């Protein structure tokens, strides 16, 4: 079955989604943007069959199987719920919603309608992330004691850097954490197989004004976390780290060895031992099955972000067809991120108090 896809939003993420859908052999049927003119231009540029007048018209279209929601964060709930009401499956960009209540409504609506709801926590789809997860699961790392993790970018380093995400009305009450910190926490929980049980957070907004408008969401977040098995971790999230373009790093320290994945070097894992360290390269011939299935080219032929995104979309479309792909991030994972985001904001607002986080099932 060829999955027929529609897209709400034609910006950077819309382009990423359309490339992934094309590679996953879906059909690019329709696109809507913030204005009819922008929709027509984006549809032409991205090779989508037609432009719809607006998001409501696209959500109601009868010739779609799935709607990809790539609109500004504050519109995610409205657009996804409209698509679900029309009977469509939904792939919704993160954050799933800007409030926990809206995320809960989206999870409930998708379940009631019997449709797939997926959220692109795509870093799960790097083969070496799956390899790290397999090593943890098989006990090769031992008991995890500590975590050192960060997600650093620099695209908002200057006072005059701004876009819709810096406007809380469009981007949400949280920016740095909801945008990229959510990826980091998802990776922590996905690779370790444990939940963040408690956290304490401090946030900082460096520039109170950007582009002539006041800024109410954060630039930087620093967290201490405790997993449900007692492991302790430090997490740093910043969009003001000069020179760091997309520096997501996860390092786990266990009783047997340490393991480190860096998203900007996705073809490798660093394994650290007291007796010596080792750099392990992606090799589907010897990697764990869940890692090898994501390796679409031989060793030595680099894979990257777009490949991970394509693999995510392929799994989402497989789920639409009735399969149950391992590790597919769903609306439930988006709700988890919304709850963690609220815990971060609550902790920071109270001066860094420890906040217990909800205990859903492990990923």
């Amino acid at each position: 079955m060829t999955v027929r896809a529609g897209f709400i939003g034609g910006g950077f993420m819309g382009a990423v989604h359309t490339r992934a859908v094309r590679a996953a052999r879906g059909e690019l049927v329709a696109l809507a943007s913030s204005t009819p003119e922008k929709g027509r231009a984006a549809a032409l540029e991205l090779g989508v069959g037609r432009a719809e007048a607006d998001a409501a018209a696209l959500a109601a279209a009868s010739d779609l199987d799935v709607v990809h929601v790539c609109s500004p964060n504050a519109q995610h709930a409205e657009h996804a719920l409209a698509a679900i009401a029309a009977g469509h499956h939904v792939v919704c960009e993160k954050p799933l919603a800007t409030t926990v209540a809206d995320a809960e409504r989206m999870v409930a609506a998708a379940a009631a309608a019997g449709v797939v709801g997926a959220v692109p926590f795509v870093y799960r789809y790097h083969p070496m992330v799956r390899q790290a997860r397999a090593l943890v699961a098989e006990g090769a790392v031992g008991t995890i004691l500590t975590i050192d993790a960060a997600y650093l970018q620099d695209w908002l380093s200057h006072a005059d850097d701004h876009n819709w995400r810096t406007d809380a009305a469009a981007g949400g009450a949280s920016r740095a954490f909801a945008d990229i910190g959510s990826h980091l926490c998802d990776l922590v929980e996905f690779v370790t197989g444990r939940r963040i049980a408690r956290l304490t957070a401090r946030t900082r907004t460096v520039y109170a004004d950007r582009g002539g408008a006041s800024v109410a969401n954060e630039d930087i977040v620093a967290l201490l976390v405790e997993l449900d098995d007692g492991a302790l971790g430090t997490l740093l999230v910043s969009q003001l780290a000069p020179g760091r373009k997309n520096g997501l790093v996860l390092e786990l320290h266990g009783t047997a060895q340490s393991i480190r994945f860096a998203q900007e070097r996705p073809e490798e894992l660093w394994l650290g031992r007291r007796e010596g360290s080792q750099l392990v390269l992606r090799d589907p011939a010897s990697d764990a099955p869940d890692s090898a299935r994501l390796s679409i080219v031989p060793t030595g032929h680099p894979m990257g972000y777009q490949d991970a995104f394509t693999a995510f979309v392929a799994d989402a479309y497989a789920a639409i067809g009735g399969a149950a792909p391992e590790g597919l991030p769903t609306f439930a994972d988006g709700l988890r991120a919304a709850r963690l985001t609220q815990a971060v904001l609550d902790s920071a607002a109270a001066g860094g108090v420890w906040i217990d986080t909800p205990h859903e099932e492990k990923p």
Side-chain angles (χ1 to χ4, degrees):
M1 178 187 78
T2 298
V3 176
R4 301 168 299 172
F7 306 86
I8 300 177
F12 168 70
M13 290 314 305
V16 171
H17 280 249
T18 56
R19 287 194 295 267
V21 171
R22 186 176 289 108
R25 299 182 181 178
E27 181 182 356
L28 284 66
V29 175
L31 181 147
S33 192
S34 55
T35 67
E37 295 76 19
K38 288 184 177 180
R40 287 192 292 269
L44 180 62
E45 179 182 356
L46 300 176
V48 181
R50 71 172 187 271
E52 291 283 2
D54 54 29
L58 185 133
S62 61
D63 59 344
L64 302 178
D65 300 307
V66 62
V67 172
H68 289 247
V69 177
C70 310
S71 49
N73 301 346
Q75 297 176 312
H76 286 179
E78 172 193 351
H79 293 161
L81 289 169
I84 292 169
H88 302 315
H89 303 281
V90 175
V91 175
C92 183
E93 263 302 327
K94 36 90 338 235
L96 181 62
T98 55
T99 69
V100 172
D102 277 348
E104 289 173 340
R105 288 171 58 213
M106 296 164 76
V107 169
V115 300
V116 171
V119 179
F121 286 121
V122 296
Y123 298 117
R124 294 183 178 197
Y125 281 87
H126 285 300
M128 296 311 279
V129 165
R130 298 295 177 113
Q131 183 66 13
R133 186 180 189 230
L135 290 172
V136 170
E138 72 185 31
V141 177
T143 300
I144 296 173
L145 303 176
T146 56
I147 300 164
D148 181 18
Y151 199 157
L152 307 177
Q153 298 177 334
D154 70 357
W155 68 283
L156 289 172
S157 295
H158 300 154
D160 57 354
D161 292 329
H162 67 93
N163 78 350
W164 60 263
R165 291 177 178 82
T166 62
D167 175 8
S174 171
R175 177 176 19 96
F177 186 83
D179 186 21
I180 59 176
S182 59
H183 273 300
L184 187 61
C185 288
D186 180 76
L187 210 59
V188 166
E189 294 191 335
F190 183 71
V191 172
T192 65
R194 313 301 305 189
R195 285 301 200 193
I196 295 171
R198 306 170 68 226
L199 62 81
T200 173
R202 298 301 296 264
T203 64
R204 184 181 179 191
T205 301
V206 177
Y207 299 115
D209 180 279
R210 289 181 182 271
S214 60
V215 176
N217 47 28
E218 81 285 346
D219 296 313
I220 298 168
V221 185
L223 300 90
L224 295 176
V225 301
E226 181 179 348
L227 303 193
D228 56 16
D229 62 351
L232 298 175
T234 60
L235 282 64
L236 180 63
V237 179
S238 176
Q239 294 175 320
L240 280 74
R244 292 300 182 189
K245 304 306 179 184
N246 204 42
L248 186 159
V249 176
L250 174 64
E251 183 168 311
L252 310 175
H253 312 125
T255 52
Q257 64 180 342
S258 298
I259 189 167
R260 184 180 194 268
F261 172 79
Q263 195 277 151
E264 292 181 332
R265 300 179 66 91
E267 292 282 277
E268 62 190 44
L269 287 178
W270 174 82
L271 303 180
R273 307 180 186 90
R274 184 167 178 175
E275 297 78 17
S277 299
Q278 179 183 8
L279 198 63
V280 178
L281 302 181
R282 179 181 62 85
D283 185 355
S286 58
D287 290 342
D290 193 39
S291 172
R293 81 173 180 94
L294 300 175
S295 290
I296 59 173
V297 293
T299 305
H301 299 72
M303 294 178 60
Y305 173 78
Q306 189 67 54
D307 296 304
F309 216 106
T310 296
F312 157 73
V313 168
D315 268 8
Y317 285 10
I320 289 171
E326 172 63 27
L328 175 68
T330 67
F331 275 16
D333 297 296
L335 172 57
R336 172 64 178 171
R339 287 175 171 158
L340 288 175
T341 300
Q342 190 59 53
V344 165
L345 294 177
D346 289 346
S347 176
V353 299
W354 282 91
I355 301 287
D356 292 335
T357 61
H359 291 267
E360 306 93 349
E361 293 183 3
K362 297 181 179 64

